């Protein structure tokens, strides 16, 4: 188990999106976060108190969590200086990066001296099966996006809260490092060998009560040439009964792909639904989740109304408005 509370390490994150791990923990488990630690030039701020290691230790922090999801998941030397110092002060370290803590000899050596624990949440700890595509009892909903980092995890967590508030049976199923750090369990899907990814999703969402919903955390995008494979595994392994389209309308290019324009919501709807019907012919698209963080309240309301009229589906920003209307759409299936 990862010891709480956390000090969230933002390092030199170039922008707010790069700090989505820290932001997710702060928003969904604020009781687990005592503060944030930022290096010079950091372009992110999750709204917690800036602390030194000494201040965080005095405030009771037990684990320094790398709250950054940078492209390639690299641990720089500047980060290492802080991480080694933290170990020497008695902190444990936790990370969801592809660059594993336990692959870094100097971090391993420092942890052996201090007795600190290195937690790599992106390391699969289960021998996942190959998917067999057999129909499972229970129901499942998956968020699929026009791009990476558009709010699929936030949509799933907000939907889980809204469904529980309605008295529905639901479970959030984490498939990425942030979700795992928030909930304490899940499948680090992008670290699973490709042949077993869909099987890992089947493992994560097993047979359940007929009226129980698994809320599957989405990853990547079918239209993102870097990360489409993980989305495909979620669609077929998850066998969703319902899809929610997630979109951020203010983007001019795909995340990390400046030469690629984001697809339309209609294009994602049509492609994702066709692929989902391969594993579950009864699958339906039930709603739209729009990330309006860069819009004013009036702009957001106007845009959501426009999308709802064009798509013929409830369109909400779960962060601004909650996910009650999405929960209602699922309850009415």
């Amino acid at each position: 188990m990862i010891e709480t509370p956390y000090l969230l390490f933002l390092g030199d994150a170039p922008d707010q999106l790069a700090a989505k791990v820290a932001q997710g923990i702060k928003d969904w488990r604020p009781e687990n976060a005592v503060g944030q630690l930022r290096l010079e030039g950091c372009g992110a701020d999750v709204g917690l108190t800036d602390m030194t290691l000494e201040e965080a230790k005095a405030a009771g922090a037990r684990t320094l969590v790398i709250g950054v999801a940078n492209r390639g998941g690299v641990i720089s030397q500047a980060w290492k200086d802080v991480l080694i110092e933290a170990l020497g002060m008695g902190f444990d370290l936790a990370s969801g990066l592809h660059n594993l803590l336990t692959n870094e000899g100097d971090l391993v050596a420092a942890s052996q001296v201090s007795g600190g624990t290195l937690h790599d949440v992106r390391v699969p700890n289960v021998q996942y099966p190959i998917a067999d595509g057999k129909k499972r009892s229970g129901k499942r909903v998956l968020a699929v996006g026009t791009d990476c980092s558009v709010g699929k995890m936030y949509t799933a967590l907000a939907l889980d809260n809204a469904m529980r508030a309605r008295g529905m049976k639901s479970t959030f199923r984490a498939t990425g490092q942030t979700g795992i750090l928030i909930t304490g369990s899940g499948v680090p899907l992008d670290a699973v060998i490709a042949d077993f990814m869909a099987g890992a999703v089947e493992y994560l969402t097993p047979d359940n009560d007929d009226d129980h919903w698994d809320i599957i955390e989405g990853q990547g995008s079918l239209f993102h040439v870097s990360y489409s494979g993980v989305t495909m595994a979620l669609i077929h392994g998850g066998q969703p009964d319902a899809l929610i389209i997630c979109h951020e309308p203010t983007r001019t290019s795909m995340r990390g792909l400046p030469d690629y324009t984001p697809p339309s919501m209609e294009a994602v709807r049509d492609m994702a639904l066709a692929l989902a019907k391969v594993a579950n012919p009864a699958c339906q698209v039930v709603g739209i989740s729009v990330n309006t963080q860069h819009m004013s309240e009036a702009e957001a309301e106007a845009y959501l109304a426009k999308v709802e009229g064009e798509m013929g589906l409830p369109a909400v920003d779960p962060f601004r408005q909650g996910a009650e209307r999405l929960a209602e759409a699922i309850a009415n299936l």
Side-chain angles (χ1 to χ4, degrees), residues 17 144-152 155 220 246-248 251 289-291:
L17 269 180
V144 291
T146 54
D147 194 6
C148 303
S149 304
V150 292
K152 297 182 292 294
T155 298
C246 298
H247 180 57
E248 184 183 327
R251 292 200 185 173
S289 174
V290 183
N291 181 343

Side-chain angles (χ1 to χ4, degrees), residues 12 14-15 22 30 44 77 88 95 104 106-107 113 121 125 134-136 143 170 173 190 207 240 269 278 290:
D12 49 6
D15 54 31
Q77 186 57 53
S95 170
E104 298 299 315
D106 46 2
L107 296 181
V113 171
V121 302
N125 56 13
K134 292 180 180 178
K135 180 65 177 173
R136 306 187 294 285
S170 72
R173 301 296 189 182
D190 62 4
D207 286 311
R269 175 198 63 196
V278 171
V290 183

Side-chain angles (χ1 to χ4, degrees), residues 187-245:
V187 170
L189 191 58
D190 62 4
V192 176
I193 294 172
D195 277 357
F196 301 96
M197 286 198 298
V201 182
E202 289 185 351
Y203 172 91
L204 183 67
T205 59
D207 286 311
N208 216 314
D209 295 340
D210 288 341
D211 59 347
H212 177 276
W213 284 86
D214 277 335
I215 316 300
I216 306 172
E217 179 188 4
Q219 299 291 336
S221 169
L222 290 171
F223 287 81
H224 197 293
V225 297
S226 303
Y227 307 120
S228 55
V230 71
T231 313
M232 190 74 248
L234 284 162
I235 290 174
H236 282 172
Q239 292 184 352
D241 298 275
L243 296 174
I244 295 173
I245 309 300

Side-chain angles (χ1 to χ4, degrees), residues 87 101-113 116 118:
L87 286 167
L101 299 171
T102 50
N103 283 348
E104 298 299 315
D106 46 2
L107 296 181
V108 172
S111 69
Q112 291 171 343
V113 171
L118 305 179

Side-chain angles (χ1 to χ4, degrees), residues 37-305:
L37 193 163
R38 298 187 290 169
L39 300 180
E40 184 177 352
C42 182
D45 183 352
V46 299
L48 293 172
T49 302
D50 285 297
M51 291 184 173
T52 63
L53 291 172
E54 291 80 4
E55 290 168 340
K57 195 68 176 176
R62 305 286 298 278
T63 303
L64 180 68
V65 174
I66 296 179
V68 184
N70 57 8
R71 189 171 176 84
V74 177
I75 299 175
S76 69
Q77 186 57 53
W79 288 16
K80 278 190 178 183
D81 293 342
V82 177
L83 301 181
I84 291 171
E85 183 180 358
L87 286 167
M89 293 176 60
F91 285 90
D92 292 339
L93 301 183
S95 170
L97 296 173
H98 286 293
N99 186 172
L100 302 181
L101 299 171
T102 50
N103 283 348
E104 298 299 315
D106 46 2
L107 296 181
V108 172
S111 69
Q112 291 171 343
V113 171
S114 68
T117 303
L118 305 179
H119 298 280
D120 284 307
V121 302
R122 220 175 196 136
V123 176
N125 56 13
V126 172
Q127 290 266 340
Y128 298 117
I130 294 175
D132 59 22
K134 292 180 180 178
K135 180 65 177 173
R136 306 187 294 285
S137 59
K139 297 180 181 296
R140 291 151 195 89
V141 55
L142 171 67
V144 291
T146 54
D147 194 6
C148 303
S149 304
V150 292
K152 297 182 292 294
M153 183 193 73
Y154 270 66
T155 298
L157 285 163
L159 179 60
D160 183 42
N161 283 352
M163 291 174 70
R164 288 171 179 268
R166 292 175 65 93
M168 299 172 70
K169 298 177 185 177
S170 72
T171 303
F172 171 76
R173 301 296 189 182
T175 62
Q177 74 273 21
T178 307
I180 293 170
L181 283 165
I182 289 171
T183 63
S185 65
V187 170
L189 191 58
D190 62 4
V192 176
I193 294 172
D195 277 357
F196 301 96
M197 286 198 298
V201 182
E202 289 185 351
Y203 172 91
L204 183 67
T205 59
D207 286 311
N208 216 314
D209 295 340
D210 288 341
D211 59 347
H212 177 276
W213 284 86
D214 277 335
I215 316 300
I216 306 172
E217 179 188 4
Q219 299 291 336
S221 169
L222 290 171
F223 287 81
H224 197 293
V225 297
S226 303
Y227 307 120
S228 55
V230 71
T231 313
M232 190 74 248
L234 284 162
I235 290 174
H236 282 172
Q239 292 184 352
D241 298 275
L243 296 174
I244 295 173
I245 309 300
C246 298
H247 180 57
E248 184 183 327
T250 54
R251 292 200 185 173
T252 58
S253 64
M254 301 285 278
R255 180 72 171 161
L257 299 175
D259 297 328
Y260 285 77
T261 302
S264 67
M265 286 178 280
E266 291 86 351
V268 173
R269 175 198 63 196
D270 295 344
M271 181 175 287
L273 186 59
L275 292 169
K277 284 180 176 291
V278 171
N280 183 357
C283 185
Q284 301 178 47
V285 178
V286 298
I288 311 294
S289 174
V290 183
N291 181 343
T292 65
Q293 63 177 320
H294 299 302
M295 295 179 166
S296 68
E297 193 71 33
E299 289 171 336
E301 289 182 5
Y303 184 80
L304 289 168

